[in-house]
Amino acid sequence: MHQKILIIEDNNDIQSLLFDVLSKNYLIYKALDGISGINQFNEVKPNLIILDLMLPQINGESVLKIIRNQSNVPIIVLTAIQNKTTTVDLLRDGANDYLTKPFDIDELQARIEVQLRKETNSEDNHIIIYKNISLNSQTHQTIANNHELNLSKKEFNLLEILLSHPKQIYEKEQLFQIIWHEEYFDSSDNTLNVHISNLRRKLFAATAHNYIVSIWGIGIRFD
Amino acid sequence: MHQKILIIEDNNDIQSLLFDVLSKNYLIYKALDGISGINQFNEVKPNLIILDLMLPQINGESVLKIIRNQSNVPIIVLTAIQNKTTTVDLLRDGANDYLTKPFDIDELQARIEVQLRKETNSEDNHIIIYKNISLNSQTHQTIANNHELNLSKKEFNLLEILLSHPKQIYEKEQLFQIIWHEEYFDSSDNTLNVHISNLRRKLFAATAHNYIVSIWGIGIRFD
DNA sequence: AATGATTAATTAAGGTTTAATTATGTAACG
DNA sequence: CGTTACATAATTAAACCTTAATTAATCATT
C-alpha cells in the first residue's frame, strides 16, 4: 500500500512523464543525477527504483552497483537502444528488469507491478498493527486500545498511510497526493489540517495519547 | 456460490455480450486493457479469468505470464483464428483452456463450468450459520435468535450474500450486480436501500440487534 | 528578548452527498 | 379480489467535507 518509487533520471521530460503517470498509484521521489539518487535512496528507502543508465557525472552502472551493494530493493533500468551495456551485464550487476527507450509507459507499469508484487504477496496486506492500534482495510475496522474507532473515509485513509510507515515523516504535499489524487499548490488549504485534527481527537479519546506529531514546516509522523 | 470472473477484453461488444450472459451466474469484473486487468486481478482475486489475446499496449501473452507468475487461477484465453501464437505456446504459458473467435457462448459457459468445478467440488454447503443466525439456501428457511424470519426473495438473497462473508464490505454496485444481475449506473437508485431497510427491521424484530452496518460512501457489512 | 511573519491547530458553520425511512403505485399470484 | 413483493418517489435524517475564522505555536530577524 502506498509504496515508494525513486526515479533516477536526468531527462526532465521523462521525469515528468513518469511522475504524472506513476504518482496516481505510488509515492514518487525524484533524483536528477546519480549522487543525489544514492543519497535519496538512503533517506527515502524506496520500495523500487527506476534508474536511467545515461546519467551525468556518475553513470548508471555505478549507481546500480553501489545501491545493490547495500540493498536488495528492486531496480528497473532504462537503457537507450544503442547502449553497449548488455542485458547480461545489467542483470549480473543486480538489475531486476530493464526497458529500452523509447519504452511503453504501460509496459513499465506492468513491470513495476511484477517487481512490487514479490514484496507484498507474502504478507496479508490488509491488516496493519502498530502498538495498540489495528486497522483492517477490508472491513474498515479500526481498533485503538481496544476501543473501536468510527473513522470517516479521509480519516481512515490518513491513518492507513501514517501507520504503513510509522515514524516516517510525511509531507503535506505527499499526503495530499495520496489521499486526494491531486497535487496541492495552494498551501493555504487547510482541509488536511482539519482531518488531522479530527483524527487526533478520535485517537486521543481512545488512547489518551497523541500519536501524530508535527514536524514544523515539514509534515507529520506517527510515533 | 457467487464466484468472481474477471474479463480482460478490449472489444466493447464482446465485453457486453459476456457480461449479459455470465452475470446471471457469476459476479463479473471487467478490464479493457492488460494493465487494468492485472490491477483488477490483484484487487479482486477472481475465481477465473477470461483473457483476450489481442489487447492494446500490452499483449495478452504478457498478461498471461504475469498473472500466472503470481497465481494458479484458471485462465481461459480467447484468440483470433489467425493469431500466430500456437495452442502449445498458450498452454505452456499457463492458460488452462482456449477458444478461437468467433466462439459459441454456450461452449464458453461449459468450459467455465469445467474450470470452476475443480475448485468448488468440496464445498457443497447450503447452510450458513453465523452468530445466532442460520440460513438454509435450499429451503429458504431463516432463523435468527430462535425466531423464524419471513424474508422475501430479495431480502433472502441479500442476507445470504452478506453472511457468506461476514465483516466483509460489499459495495452497493456489487450487491446490485449479484442480486439483480445487471449493472447499476444510476446511483440515485434507492431500491437496494429499501430492501436493506426492510431486512434490518425484520432482523431487529427477532434479535434486537442491528447487524448490518453501513460504511459511509462505500457499502455495507454484516457484523 | 521582543516582534512580526509563517505555519499549525482548533472550532464552528454551510452546503453537499449519501443513507434511511415512509408512502405510493404497480404487477403477479393464488 | 386481496395479498404480497417489488419498484419508484418523496421525505427525513445523518454523515461528511470544505471553508472560513480564530487561536496557538514556532521561526527568523533584529
Short mmCIF file of all heavy atoms in Angstrom, two decimals, chain B residues 152-154 180 190-191 194-195 216, chain D residues 5-10 14-16:
data_model
loop_
_atom_site.label_atom_id
_atom_site.label_comp_id
_atom_site.label_asym_id
_atom_site.label_seq_id
_atom_site.Cartn_x
_atom_site.Cartn_y
_atom_site.Cartn_z
N SER B 152 -38.49 -12.03 2.10
CA SER B 152 -38.78 -12.11 0.66
C SER B 152 -37.53 -12.61 -0.07
O SER B 152 -36.47 -12.75 0.51
CB SER B 152 -39.18 -10.74 0.13
OG SER B 152 -38.04 -9.95 -0.03
N LYS B 153 -37.69 -12.86 -1.36
CA LYS B 153 -36.57 -13.37 -2.13
C LYS B 153 -35.38 -12.43 -2.10
O LYS B 153 -34.24 -12.83 -1.85
CB LYS B 153 -37.01 -13.61 -3.59
CG LYS B 153 -37.17 -15.08 -3.94
CD LYS B 153 -37.50 -15.27 -5.41
CE LYS B 153 -38.94 -14.86 -5.73
NZ LYS B 153 -39.33 -15.10 -7.12
N LYS B 154 -35.64 -11.18 -2.37
CA LYS B 154 -34.54 -10.20 -2.41
C LYS B 154 -33.86 -10.09 -1.05
O LYS B 154 -32.64 -10.02 -0.95
CB LYS B 154 -35.07 -8.83 -2.83
CG LYS B 154 -35.73 -8.79 -4.18
CD LYS B 154 -34.73 -8.80 -5.32
CE LYS B 154 -35.44 -8.70 -6.65
NZ LYS B 154 -34.61 -9.12 -7.77
N TRP B 180 -29.49 -8.43 -8.77
CA TRP B 180 -30.35 -8.08 -9.91
C TRP B 180 -29.78 -8.52 -11.26
O TRP B 180 -30.41 -8.37 -12.28
CB TRP B 180 -30.62 -6.57 -9.94
CG TRP B 180 -31.71 -6.16 -8.99
CD1 TRP B 180 -33.02 -5.98 -9.32
CD2 TRP B 180 -31.62 -5.87 -7.61
NE1 TRP B 180 -33.74 -5.60 -8.21
CE2 TRP B 180 -32.91 -5.53 -7.15
CE3 TRP B 180 -30.56 -5.87 -6.68
CZ2 TRP B 180 -33.16 -5.19 -5.81
CZ3 TRP B 180 -30.83 -5.54 -5.36
CH2 TRP B 180 -32.11 -5.21 -4.95
N ASN B 190 -32.71 3.87 -5.38
CA ASN B 190 -32.87 3.65 -3.95
C ASN B 190 -33.42 2.27 -3.61
O ASN B 190 -33.62 1.95 -2.44
CB ASN B 190 -33.81 4.74 -3.39
CG ASN B 190 -33.72 4.84 -1.90
OD1 ASN B 190 -32.64 4.68 -1.34
ND2 ASN B 190 -34.84 5.08 -1.25
N THR B 191 -33.63 1.47 -4.62
CA THR B 191 -34.26 0.18 -4.39
C THR B 191 -33.52 -0.65 -3.35
O THR B 191 -34.11 -1.16 -2.40
CB THR B 191 -34.32 -0.62 -5.71
OG1 THR B 191 -34.99 0.18 -6.68
CG2 THR B 191 -35.05 -1.91 -5.51
N VAL B 194 -34.02 0.34 0.21
CA VAL B 194 -35.30 -0.06 0.78
C VAL B 194 -35.24 -1.51 1.27
O VAL B 194 -35.70 -1.82 2.37
CB VAL B 194 -36.42 0.10 -0.26
CG1 VAL B 194 -37.73 -0.43 0.30
CG2 VAL B 194 -36.56 1.55 -0.66
N HIS B 195 -34.63 -2.35 0.47
CA HIS B 195 -34.54 -3.75 0.87
C HIS B 195 -33.65 -3.90 2.10
O HIS B 195 -33.94 -4.71 2.98
CB HIS B 195 -34.00 -4.60 -0.29
CG HIS B 195 -35.00 -4.79 -1.37
ND1 HIS B 195 -36.11 -5.59 -1.23
CD2 HIS B 195 -35.10 -4.26 -2.61
CE1 HIS B 195 -36.82 -5.57 -2.34
NE2 HIS B 195 -36.23 -4.76 -3.20
N TRP B 216 -19.97 4.46 5.36
CA TRP B 216 -20.44 5.62 4.63
C TRP B 216 -19.62 5.85 3.36
O TRP B 216 -18.40 5.97 3.40
CB TRP B 216 -20.35 6.86 5.52
CG TRP B 216 -21.39 7.88 5.22
CD1 TRP B 216 -22.62 7.97 5.75
CD2 TRP B 216 -21.27 8.96 4.30
NE1 TRP B 216 -23.28 9.04 5.23
CE2 TRP B 216 -22.48 9.66 4.34
CE3 TRP B 216 -20.24 9.39 3.44
CZ2 TRP B 216 -22.70 10.78 3.56
CZ3 TRP B 216 -20.45 10.50 2.66
CH2 TRP B 216 -21.69 11.18 2.72
P DA D 5 -44.07 -11.16 0.86
OP1 DA D 5 -43.27 -12.34 1.27
OP2 DA D 5 -44.25 -10.01 1.78
"O5'" DA D 5 -43.46 -10.60 -0.50
"C5'" DA D 5 -43.45 -11.44 -1.64
"C4'" DA D 5 -42.97 -10.63 -2.83
"O4'" DA D 5 -43.97 -9.66 -3.18
"C3'" DA D 5 -41.67 -9.85 -2.56
"O3'" DA D 5 -40.77 -10.09 -3.62
"C2'" DA D 5 -42.11 -8.39 -2.49
"C1'" DA D 5 -43.36 -8.38 -3.37
N9 DA D 5 -44.36 -7.37 -2.99
C8 DA D 5 -44.82 -7.07 -1.74
N7 DA D 5 -45.72 -6.11 -1.71
C5 DA D 5 -45.87 -5.77 -3.04
C6 DA D 5 -46.69 -4.83 -3.70
N6 DA D 5 -47.54 -4.02 -3.06
N1 DA D 5 -46.59 -4.74 -5.04
C2 DA D 5 -45.74 -5.56 -5.68
N3 DA D 5 -44.93 -6.48 -5.18
C4 DA D 5 -45.04 -6.54 -3.84
P DC D 6 -39.29 -9.60 -3.45
OP1 DC D 6 -38.45 -10.58 -4.13
OP2 DC D 6 -39.03 -9.20 -2.06
"O5'" DC D 6 -39.30 -8.28 -4.35
"C5'" DC D 6 -39.76 -8.37 -5.69
"C4'" DC D 6 -40.08 -6.99 -6.19
"O4'" DC D 6 -41.19 -6.44 -5.46
"C3'" DC D 6 -38.95 -5.97 -6.02
"O3'" DC D 6 -38.29 -5.83 -7.27
"C2'" DC D 6 -39.65 -4.69 -5.55
"C1'" DC D 6 -41.14 -5.04 -5.62
N1 DC D 6 -41.98 -4.44 -4.55
C2 DC D 6 -42.96 -3.52 -4.91
O2 DC D 6 -43.11 -3.22 -6.10
N3 DC D 6 -43.75 -2.97 -3.94
C4 DC D 6 -43.56 -3.30 -2.67
N4 DC D 6 -44.36 -2.75 -1.75
C5 DC D 6 -42.57 -4.24 -2.28
C6 DC D 6 -41.80 -4.78 -3.24
P DA D 7 -37.08 -4.79 -7.44
OP1 DA D 7 -36.30 -5.25 -8.60
OP2 DA D 7 -36.45 -4.59 -6.13
"O5'" DA D 7 -37.85 -3.46 -7.85
"C5'" DA D 7 -38.74 -3.51 -8.95
"C4'" DA D 7 -39.38 -2.15 -9.14
"O4'" DA D 7 -40.28 -1.89 -8.04
"C3'" DA D 7 -38.41 -0.98 -9.20
"O3'" DA D 7 -38.76 -0.19 -10.33
"C2'" DA D 7 -38.62 -0.24 -7.89
"C1'" DA D 7 -40.06 -0.57 -7.56
N9 DA D 7 -40.38 -0.61 -6.13
C8 DA D 7 -39.75 -1.33 -5.15
N7 DA D 7 -40.28 -1.20 -3.96
C5 DA D 7 -41.34 -0.32 -4.16
C6 DA D 7 -42.30 0.23 -3.30
N6 DA D 7 -42.35 -0.05 -1.99
N1 DA D 7 -43.21 1.07 -3.82
C2 DA D 7 -43.16 1.33 -5.14
N3 DA D 7 -42.31 0.88 -6.06
C4 DA D 7 -41.42 0.05 -5.50
P DT D 8 -37.83 1.00 -10.78
OP1 DT D 8 -37.89 1.06 -12.24
OP2 DT D 8 -36.54 0.88 -10.06
"O5'" DT D 8 -38.58 2.27 -10.19
"C5'" DT D 8 -39.92 2.51 -10.60
"C4'" DT D 8 -40.50 3.62 -9.76
"O4'" DT D 8 -40.64 3.17 -8.39
"C3'" DT D 8 -39.65 4.90 -9.68
"O3'" DT D 8 -40.45 5.96 -10.18
"C2'" DT D 8 -39.31 5.06 -8.20
"C1'" DT D 8 -40.44 4.27 -7.55
N1 DT D 8 -40.16 3.72 -6.21
C2 DT D 8 -41.03 4.02 -5.18
O2 DT D 8 -42.01 4.74 -5.32
N3 DT D 8 -40.71 3.45 -3.97
C4 DT D 8 -39.64 2.62 -3.68
O4 DT D 8 -39.47 2.16 -2.57
C5 DT D 8 -38.77 2.34 -4.80
C7 DT D 8 -37.59 1.46 -4.62
C6 DT D 8 -39.07 2.90 -6.00
P DA D 9 -39.75 7.40 -10.43
OP1 DA D 9 -40.35 8.00 -11.64
OP2 DA D 9 -38.28 7.29 -10.27
"O5'" DA D 9 -40.32 8.18 -9.16
"C5'" DA D 9 -41.69 8.08 -8.86
"C4'" DA D 9 -41.95 8.73 -7.53
"O4'" DA D 9 -41.55 7.84 -6.46
"C3'" DA D 9 -41.19 10.04 -7.31
"O3'" DA D 9 -42.13 11.04 -7.01
"C2'" DA D 9 -40.24 9.75 -6.14
"C1'" DA D 9 -40.95 8.61 -5.44
N9 DA D 9 -40.09 7.68 -4.68
C8 DA D 9 -39.01 6.99 -5.12
N7 DA D 9 -38.46 6.21 -4.21
C5 DA D 9 -39.24 6.42 -3.09
C6 DA D 9 -39.19 5.88 -1.78
N6 DA D 9 -38.28 5.01 -1.38
N1 DA D 9 -40.13 6.30 -0.90
C2 DA D 9 -41.05 7.18 -1.32
N3 DA D 9 -41.21 7.75 -2.51
C4 DA D 9 -40.26 7.31 -3.36
P DA D 10 -41.65 12.54 -6.73
OP1 DA D 10 -42.72 13.43 -7.21
OP2 DA D 10 -40.25 12.72 -7.16
"O5'" DA D 10 -41.69 12.54 -5.14
"C5'" DA D 10 -42.86 12.07 -4.48
"C4'" DA D 10 -42.69 12.26 -2.99
"O4'" DA D 10 -41.84 11.21 -2.46
"C3'" DA D 10 -42.02 13.58 -2.61
"O3'" DA D 10 -42.72 14.12 -1.50
"C2'" DA D 10 -40.59 13.17 -2.24
"C1'" DA D 10 -40.82 11.78 -1.68
N9 DA D 10 -39.66 10.88 -1.77
C8 DA D 10 -38.79 10.73 -2.80
N7 DA D 10 -37.86 9.83 -2.58
C5 DA D 10 -38.15 9.35 -1.31
C6 DA D 10 -37.53 8.38 -0.50
N6 DA D 10 -36.46 7.69 -0.86
N1 DA D 10 -38.09 8.15 0.72
C2 DA D 10 -39.16 8.84 1.08
N3 DA D 10 -39.82 9.78 0.40
C4 DA D 10 -39.25 9.98 -0.79
P DA D 14 -31.05 11.38 12.79
OP1 DA D 14 -31.28 10.35 13.81
OP2 DA D 14 -31.14 12.82 13.11
"O5'" DA D 14 -29.63 11.10 12.14
"C5'" DA D 14 -29.43 9.90 11.42
"C4'" DA D 14 -28.22 10.04 10.54
"O4'" DA D 14 -28.50 10.99 9.49
"C3'" DA D 14 -26.98 10.56 11.25
"O3'" DA D 14 -26.05 9.50 11.23
"C2'" DA D 14 -26.53 11.78 10.42
"C1'" DA D 14 -27.28 11.59 9.12
N9 DA D 14 -27.63 12.80 8.38
C8 DA D 14 -28.42 13.83 8.80
N7 DA D 14 -28.59 14.77 7.90
C5 DA D 14 -27.86 14.32 6.82
C6 DA D 14 -27.62 14.85 5.53
N6 DA D 14 -28.13 16.02 5.12
N1 DA D 14 -26.84 14.14 4.69
C2 DA D 14 -26.34 12.97 5.11
N3 DA D 14 -26.49 12.37 6.28
C4 DA D 14 -27.26 13.10 7.10
P DA D 15 -24.71 9.61 12.08
OP1 DA D 15 -24.42 8.25 12.58
OP2 DA D 15 -24.77 10.78 12.98
"O5'" DA D 15 -23.67 9.93 10.92
"C5'" DA D 15 -23.68 9.10 9.76
"C4'" DA D 15 -22.82 9.73 8.71
"O4'" DA D 15 -23.48 10.89 8.18
"C3'" DA D 15 -21.47 10.20 9.23
"O3'" DA D 15 -20.47 9.50 8.51
"C2'" DA D 15 -21.44 11.71 8.97
"C1'" DA D 15 -22.52 11.88 7.90
N9 DA D 15 -23.24 13.15 7.92
C8 DA D 15 -23.87 13.73 8.98
N7 DA D 15 -24.46 14.87 8.69
C5 DA D 15 -24.19 15.05 7.35
C6 DA D 15 -24.52 16.07 6.43
N6 DA D 15 -25.24 17.13 6.76
N1 DA D 15 -24.09 15.92 5.16
C2 DA D 15 -23.37 14.85 4.84
N3 DA D 15 -23.00 13.83 5.60
C4 DA D 15 -23.44 13.99 6.85
P DC D 16 -18.95 9.73 8.81
OP1 DC D 16 -18.26 8.48 8.41
OP2 DC D 16 -18.78 10.29 10.16
"O5'" DC D 16 -18.59 10.85 7.74
"C5'" DC D 16 -18.90 10.59 6.37
"C4'" DC D 16 -18.67 11.85 5.57
"O4'" DC D 16 -19.64 12.84 5.93
"C3'" DC D 16 -17.31 12.49 5.83
"O3'" DC D 16 -16.49 12.23 4.71
"C2'" DC D 16 -17.60 13.98 5.99
"C1'" DC D 16 -19.07 14.10 5.66
N1 DC D 16 -19.83 15.09 6.47
C2 DC D 16 -20.40 16.18 5.84
O2 DC D 16 -20.27 16.31 4.63
N3 DC D 16 -21.10 17.08 6.59
C4 DC D 16 -21.23 16.90 7.90
N4 DC D 16 -21.93 17.80 8.59
C5 DC D 16 -20.66 15.78 8.56
C6 DC D 16 -19.97 14.91 7.82
#
